[in-house]
Amino acid sequence: MTRLRSVVRGCGSYLPRTVVTNDDLAARVDTSDDWIIQRTGIRQRHIAEADETTSVLGIKAAESALRDADIDPSTIDLVICATSTPDHTFPSTATQIQAGLGIGAGAAFDIQAVCAGFVYAVATADKFLTTGAATRALVVGAETFSRLLDWEDRTTCVLFGDGAGALVLEAQPGEGHSGDRGVLTSQLRADGRHREKLYVDGGPGSTGTTGKLRMVGKEVFRFAVGSVTDVIAQAFAATGTTADDLDWFVPHQANRRIIEASADKLGIAREKVVLTVDRHGNTSAASIPLALDAACRDGRIKRGDLVMIEAIGGGFTWGSALIRW
Ligand code: ACO
């Protein structure tokens, strides 16, 4: 049986020019390189300058993905941007990326699922592409999380970074089995009862301010390792695949310990895990496309490879998508 699949045509990313090391942070708050590396695996992160807004980072990542796909921006009829740090409350960052690329047709909108935003965005684009509602989608994860941080709070400010990544997805016919190229399944979940564990203490509808990120780190850690693996098991079950079939596991890059504990729990070999948290920190919705692009650029992810992406974010929201590259 033939069916439409959302096939990856191109991948790209962009990082702000300024690199901030753990030692740089230790000069500002009471922390150390050793503590940060041991608890998180993070060695450095990129931090956006004032002129590097989320849409600026998103446009550069999108341009890089369009170059990789070797297609003209005017053929894109859907732009989705996953972000929690839009340039403005409105219009959406997706429309600013669309305009920056010179695209004036099709649909564009943001998705807000915090660190799970890119998985939500891929799943949403897949629904558009496989129902014929769009033909070529640009899916961007772009963040300037540094703007949400309380730089006096050592328990959070050491964890995050800024950046953007993007995929070009195109509707192509497939056979309807797990050997097809494209998005094979996506699994999305949310449980808003966990709000207090990870949130921003402001917003246009409450305080009228942007607010700062607040987190109960231990609770997030426990939930991330304890509960989130369900969406990966469900992706395997939905496609008749197993951890052994995977070529690459590309999880949200929050913390090396969370990633390795999740991979171990699922029986995914450590050498299949793509890790960029050491260089990028946690870039929220941008972390997965940044990691995908790093692994494509260095030749690890190749056409035909089976790639699992997975993330958990504030809400909590979480999800997975299994993609044959
Ligand atoms: N430097 C030095 N010491 C610190 C720092 C720091 N940056 N931050 C906290 N500490 C201290 C604490 O004050 C505490 O000191 P105390 O024992 O005297 O009270 C001690 O270190 C231990 O603190 P814990 O919070 O118990 O440390 P823990 O081992 O839980 O590690 C961490 C903290 C890294 C945040 C961990 O809980 C974690 O990774 N949680 C997941 C959160 C996460 O990754 N969130 C990202 C956003 S959500 C997402 O993307 C999914």
Side-chain angles (χ1 to χ4, degrees):
M1 191 186 79
T2 61
R3 52 157 295 172
L4 285 172
R5 293 288 193 191
S6 309
V7 173
V8 176
R9 280 288 309 266
C11 185
S13 65
Y14 182 77
L15 288 158
R17 25 182 209 273
T18 303
V19 173
V20 174
T21 65
N22 293 343
D23 284 336
D24 294 334
L25 290 179
R28 291 176 74 159
V29 290
D30 182 14
T31 190
S32 68
D33 186 42
D34 279 352
W35 192 95
I36 300 171
I37 291 175
Q38 198 253 321
R39 303 289 173 124
T40 72
I42 299 168
R43 292 174 184 274
Q44 62 168 50
R45 71 287 293 141
H46 292 247
I47 299 292
E49 301 288 342
D51 61 333
E52 295 176 309
T53 64
T54 298
S55 68
V56 166
L57 303 183
I59 290 165
K60 288 184 189 292
E63 286 170 341
S64 135
L66 288 164
R67 269 195 308 277
D68 187 47
D70 194 22
I71 60 168
D72 193 275
S74 65
T75 63
I76 296 288
D77 54 7
L78 176 65
V79 179
I80 303 180
C81 180
T83 188
S84 300
T85 46
D87 292 9
H88 301 284
T89 303
F90 76 81
S92 69
T93 303
T95 59
Q96 301 313 288
I97 293 172
Q98 190 202 31
L101 296 169
I103 305 171
F109 56 87
D110 285 0
I111 279 194
Q112 161 57 292
V114 204
C115 301
F118 190 76
V119 177
Y120 268 63
V122 166
T124 305
D126 183 49
K127 308 298 181 218
F128 275 76
L129 293 168
T130 56
T131 55
T135 57
R136 270 183 180 167
L138 182 63
V139 185
V140 183
E143 301 280 17
T144 47
F145 244 62
S146 59
R147 319 268 211 251
L148 288 180
L149 299 178
D150 175 351
W151 287 98
E152 312 276 295
D153 176 10
R154 68 175 181 171
T155 68
T156 53
C157 76
V158 302
L159 302 175
F160 295 90
D162 301 330
L167 284 185
V168 176
L169 296 177
E170 179 179 272
Q172 291 183 10
E175 299 296 323
H177 54 65
S178 65
D180 286 349
R181 288 188 67 211
V183 178
L184 301 176
T185 187
S186 55
Q187 309 284 330
L188 302 183
R189 302 284 177 273
D191 184 348
R193 292 172 297 180
H194 297 281
R195 175 190 178 278
E196 300 301 323
K197 293 168 188 161
L198 180 56
Y199 66 102
V200 169
D201 63 4
S206 53
T207 58
T209 61
T210 305
K212 296 293 177 209
L213 182 143
R214 307 292 171 206
M215 181 178 73
V216 187
K218 268 197 193 316
E219 296 282 335
V220 177
F221 192 99
R222 194 171 301 131
F223 190 84
V225 177
S227 309
V228 172
T229 43
D230 62 351
V231 287
I232 299 176
Q234 282 154 5
F236 285 137
T239 52
T241 56
T242 69
D244 291 339
D245 299 315
L246 269 194
D247 293 294
W248 302 107
F249 179 50
V250 188
H252 169 49
Q253 306 284 316
N255 180 311
R256 187 184 185 112
R257 288 189 301 153
I258 294 178
I259 292 171
E260 292 183 343
S262 302
D264 291 351
K265 188 174 165 190
L266 289 154
I268 298 171
R270 289 272 179 102
E271 60 271 19
K272 294 181 176 178
V273 180
V274 174
L275 269 178
T276 50
V277 69
D278 55 331
R279 289 172 278 156
H280 301 165
N282 179 348
T283 57
S284 192
S287 90
I288 289 175
L290 274 163
L292 288 171
D293 193 42
C296 287
R297 295 283 85 77
D298 67 20
R300 274 179 290 174
I301 297 181
K302 295 179 293 302
R303 188 183 168 118
D305 281 356
L306 193 60
V307 180
M308 177 78 77
I309 63 173
E310 167 269 328
I312 172 201
F316 292 132
T317 50
W318 66 105
S320 70
L322 189 61
I323 306 169
R324 188 168 300 282
W325 215 254

